[in-house]
Amino acid sequence: MNASWPAWECRDQADQAELYYNQPLRAENRRLEDENLTLKRLLRKHGISWQNTQPKPTRSKSSRVTRSSISHDRVLPHLPVEIQLRVLCYALTSPHPIVDPLCKSKPERMLPREKRKGNDIAIHFLATCRAYHFEGTKFLWSNNTFLFTSPTNLRQFAELDLVYRQQVRHATFRLIARFYDDEDRVHRLPTSYHPKLKSSVKLAVQRRPKEKTLARRGFRAYAWYQLIDFLEAMLPPHDPACKSSPTEPRPRLLPALETLRIDFVNFINDLLQYPPQHLHDLASHQLGCMLNEVTLTGVPTDECGLRVSTELSGLLKDEGLLIDHPPTLVAVKDGIRLLQCVGPLCDHSLKVVRGMPSTNDFFSDSHRTHSQSDFPPAPSPEGKPPYSAFYSCRTIWKKVPIKLDGNGERRWELFDRVSGMAWEDVEEEATLFDFLDDELEPMVCENCGECHPGALLPNELMDLWDDELD
């Protein structure tokens, strides 16, 4: 470990000043656009065309008929509307996530394939006619997934109309830890970051002048505050067209979002300090209980990373699925590099959040005070799960990804509602009291009143079990 570790968390003043400088430019563009619209309305009011109309060139008369001379008279073949919509849907659907829509991405935040790839969608269809623009815009925002590399680019998404923002179902956040230092020191990413790393990687540290104050000195990082800025960008944006209502809350940035993936890049164990308390307020309260599935990659495995994973689980609805995966990306000098999984299957940990109904006070946590009607649980996966003798009121079926960056194929997995872990990991402990004595009948579940593996015990027996453990 470097002697200057851990790095203290901050928002770098130089980066924040640059962001603030760019904001007035967008405001000035809006002012000029409104001025142009006002001038166009004034010209139309007085019957003056605002376009510089030029006389069309006349074609000289000739007895010779060519292909170009009769092209304007040829009627194009007509396609049924259903086929046109199918072609339009295919042309505006990208096989890869669209990186930073509505704004320009920085090369150092992109993978090599993202830098060199061309246009995956035929965006020019939208300029063909009004009908194609109307139908194609809906396909563009509903059929694609989007990747954001900075909180500023995510806030820029608020410029899109709510009608299209509520079509987005999945999003990916790429958090690249940024480091600053006021001394000429070398900081390296250890090989323990990922098994594929054969040697340590030099971190990209931005040099800052040493100030005459102890408040802003030493090695610092913009990591957890970056996560907070991403979550704050998800809060309801200001929309002048949306009338405020005392009963209806303002819609969030992505009101119909169902799944979220957050890639933590260069978040090193024992390097970062604990996240600010504001993270709990955002994840568990202001944005709580809104997602069906959250995937986290690259979260540190130390106590700090465990706390962040626990806080981000507040984004999930009841019975939501939390996927914690090792790092998949590493930031180097010229951009981002992909880290493949070691084995054929991903080595990730899975957990179902708040899977046990709150009918039993013993299994309810302090945050489980809402009703099922106000906050419905995550919907059940599509399809029919396989038969299992352990399926009961204590267990729940979920579809989990076989490989995180694969073709999207999933398999059925049985989870324990009480602990949230996979049933095969807690089966021995959960079925410990099924038969207190060989001559006695199986234990009756306190929750459903039936006999099944892992039956929930009354509170009195659970208190006795806790006393024995103590």
Side-chain angles (χ1 to χ4, degrees):
M1 180 185 297
N2 197 299
S4 60
W5 291 9
W8 60 278
E9 188 73 22
C10 73
R11 291 184 177 93
D12 185 69
Q13 291 186 347
D15 290 346
Q16 296 297 313
E18 182 181 357
L19 295 176
Y20 179 80
Y21 177 79
N22 292 329
Q23 287 178 356
L25 298 180
R26 294 197 298 270
E28 181 68 13
N29 289 336
R30 296 193 196 97
R31 188 187 69 81
L32 293 176
E33 289 177 0
D34 295 338
E35 183 178 353
N36 289 335
L37 291 176
T38 303
L39 293 176
K40 290 179 181 179
R41 295 191 190 99
L42 184 62
L43 291 174
R44 292 194 188 99
K45 181 179 179 181
H46 293 81
I48 303 174
S49 176
W50 58 271
Q51 294 180 341
N52 186 17
T53 58
Q54 298 290 340
K56 297 182 180 180
T58 58
R59 183 169 57 90
S60 59
K61 296 183 179 180
S62 176
S63 59
R64 181 184 178 187
V65 179
T66 61
R67 180 179 301 178
S68 59
S69 63
I70 64 173
S71 60
H72 64 282
D73 297 329
R74 179 178 299 175
V75 179
L76 295 177
H78 174 71
L79 292 177
V81 177
E82 293 79 4
I83 297 181
Q84 296 184 43
L85 292 178
R86 183 172 297 184
V87 173
L88 192 63
C89 177
Y90 176 80
L92 294 173
T93 302
S94 173
H96 306 288
I98 299 178
V99 183
D100 291 330
L102 304 182
C103 52
K104 187 176 181 180
S105 303
K106 293 186 176 182
E108 61 269 17
R109 298 175 182 173
M110 304 172 65
L111 290 168
R113 69 185 183 194
E114 296 171 348
K115 297 178 184 179
R116 62 175 179 264
K117 73 175 183 180
N119 293 329
D120 291 332
I121 57 177
I123 194 67
H124 304 292
F125 263 110
L126 302 182
T128 304
C129 61
R130 291 184 179 181
Y132 277 14
H133 184 275
F134 178 78
E135 297 294 341
T137 305
K138 295 190 294 183
F139 289 137
L140 175 64
W141 301 114
S142 61
N143 292 6
N144 294 292
T145 59
F146 304 96
L147 189 152
F148 300 92
T149 61
S150 70
T152 305
N153 296 343
L154 180 60
R155 292 191 185 96
Q156 185 69 18
F157 205 67
E159 299 292 333
L160 189 65
D161 192 83
L162 176 63
V163 177
Y164 304 118
R165 284 191 282 112
Q166 62 187 4
Q167 303 290 334
V168 180
R169 297 291 186 269
H170 174 79
T172 301
F173 298 162
R174 182 177 293 173
L175 277 68
I176 306 173
R178 299 174 63 88
F179 301 100
Y180 314 89
D181 203 346
D182 53 11
E183 297 183 14
D184 190 10
R185 293 179 287 195
V186 177
H187 303 272
R188 291 188 172 275
L189 185 74
T191 55
S192 59
Y193 180 76
H194 194 273
K196 290 289 186 179
L197 288 180
K198 303 303 180 182
S199 60
S200 60
V201 178
K202 183 180 179 181
L203 293 176
V205 181
Q206 300 186 32
R207 185 68 183 272
R208 291 291 183 260
K210 183 175 292 186
E211 302 184 24
K212 296 181 180 180
T213 174
L214 297 178
R216 294 185 298 272
R217 275 195 176 186
F219 182 51
R220 44 196 184 269
Y222 176 51
W224 301 132
Y225 271 121
Q226 186 177 173
L227 174 61
I228 290 177
D229 292 340
F230 264 103
L231 296 180
E232 285 183 341
M234 293 282 291
L235 295 176
H238 176 68
D239 187 2
C242 183
K243 298 181 180 180
S244 60
S245 173
T247 57
E248 294 294 333
R250 293 186 297 122
R252 299 187 178 100
L253 179 69
L254 303 175
L257 193 66
E258 297 177 354
T259 59
L260 175 64
R261 172 172 171 173
I262 305 179
D263 294 326
F264 295 86
V265 185
N266 287 15
F267 282 68
I268 310 172
N269 288 337
D270 303 322
L271 170 63
L272 305 174
Q273 298 180 356
Y274 281 92
Q277 294 293 333
H278 190 39
L279 177 61
H280 174 78
D281 178 62
L282 286 170
S284 298
H285 298 284
Q286 299 190 47
L287 299 174
C289 298
M290 71 171 188
L291 300 176
N292 300 333
E293 181 178 303
V294 172
T295 303
L296 308 177
T297 68
V299 179
T301 56
D302 54 5
E303 295 182 1
C304 178
L306 179 61
R307 178 176 174 180
V308 171
S309 300
T310 304
E311 297 291 0
L312 291 179
S313 65
L315 297 171
L316 288 166
K317 298 178 181 178
D318 296 345
E319 302 178 2
L321 182 63
L322 178 66
I323 304 175
D324 198 345
H325 192 279
T328 59
L329 302 172
V330 59
V332 293
K333 183 178 180 180
D334 56 344
I336 306 296
R337 292 291 181 267
L338 187 64
L339 298 174
Q340 299 290 345
C341 295
V342 178
L345 299 179
C346 289
D347 184 19
H348 48 48
S349 61
L350 307 170
K351 184 178 181 180
V352 173
V353 177
R354 296 185 302 275
M356 195 64 211
S358 58
T359 54
N360 193 332
D361 294 336
F362 180 82
F363 296 104
S364 61
D365 53 25
S366 57
H367 284 72
R368 186 62 182 262
T369 57
H370 53 264
S371 62
Q372 293 281 344
S373 59
D374 295 335
F375 298 93
S380 302
E382 297 181 357
K384 184 178 180 180
Y387 171 78
S388 175
F390 299 102
Y391 180 69
S392 62
C393 70
R394 177 165 181 160
T395 55
I396 181 174
W397 283 106
K398 286 291 181 181
K399 273 189 174 181
V400 300
I402 298 179
K403 203 169 184 62
L404 195 59
D405 293 323
N407 55 3
E409 186 178 359
R410 292 183 172 239
R411 60 180 174 84
W412 288 99
E413 181 79 24
L414 190 64
F415 288 88
D416 178 29
R417 291 179 178 269
V418 177
S419 63
M421 308 301 293
W423 178 256
E424 59 182 9
D425 297 333
V426 298
E427 177 184 349
E428 182 178 357
E429 181 180 355
T431 59
L432 185 61
F433 290 101
D434 285 357
F435 295 92
L436 297 179
D437 195 337
D438 294 339
E439 299 180 357
L440 298 179
E441 296 182 355
M443 181 65 65
V444 178
C445 179
E446 182 72 10
N447 185 43
C448 64
E450 298 180 359
C451 297
H452 58 76
L456 301 180
L457 303 180
N459 292 343
E460 295 79 9
L461 293 180
M462 294 302 302
D463 294 338
L464 294 176
W465 169 247
D466 292 337
D467 293 340
E468 291 180 2
L469 292 179
D470 295 338

